[in-house]
Amino acid sequence: MKNKVVIFDFDGTLADVVPIFRKIYSNLALQYNLPEISDQDFLELRKKNLKQALKWVGIRYWQLPGILN
């Protein structure tokens, strides 16, 4: 039996996923009244860890599962 494998590539090694993530975030920003992220903001957010980025955007940890769903 063959196993199915899913590969997640978050650093751009296999594919440039940044434009896709930015488009998804833009849609979520409209839906959840989150701030828009400019190109400069994006460059700064890439330097932050998840906790810092969520704080900047205004998302609390307990909200994350609902948004990701």
Side-chain angles (χ1 to χ4, degrees):
M1 181 175 167
K2 292 184 180 180
N3 292 327
K4 293 182 180 182
V5 177
V6 176
I7 299 173
F8 292 95
D9 171 40
F10 296 111
D11 65 357
T13 305
L14 299 174
D16 186 11
V17 296
V18 170
I20 295 167
F21 285 143
R22 291 196 66 184
K23 183 172 180 145
I24 291 169
Y25 176 82
S26 292
N27 292 336
L28 291 172
L30 290 172
Q31 184 176 352
Y32 291 96
N33 198 29
L34 299 172
E36 293 287 328
I37 297 178
S38 69
D39 292 340
Q40 184 62 34
D41 291 336
F42 180 75
L43 293 174
E44 291 299 317
L45 285 170
R46 287 190 69 160
K47 298 174 188 174
K48 299 181 183 300
N49 62 36
L50 178 62
K51 184 176 181 179
Q52 293 168 328
L54 289 175
K55 183 176 182 179
W56 186 92
V57 174
I59 298 173
R60 294 188 169 83
Y61 275 117
W62 62 267
Q63 295 172 307
L64 199 54
I67 291 172
L68 292 175
N69 190 22

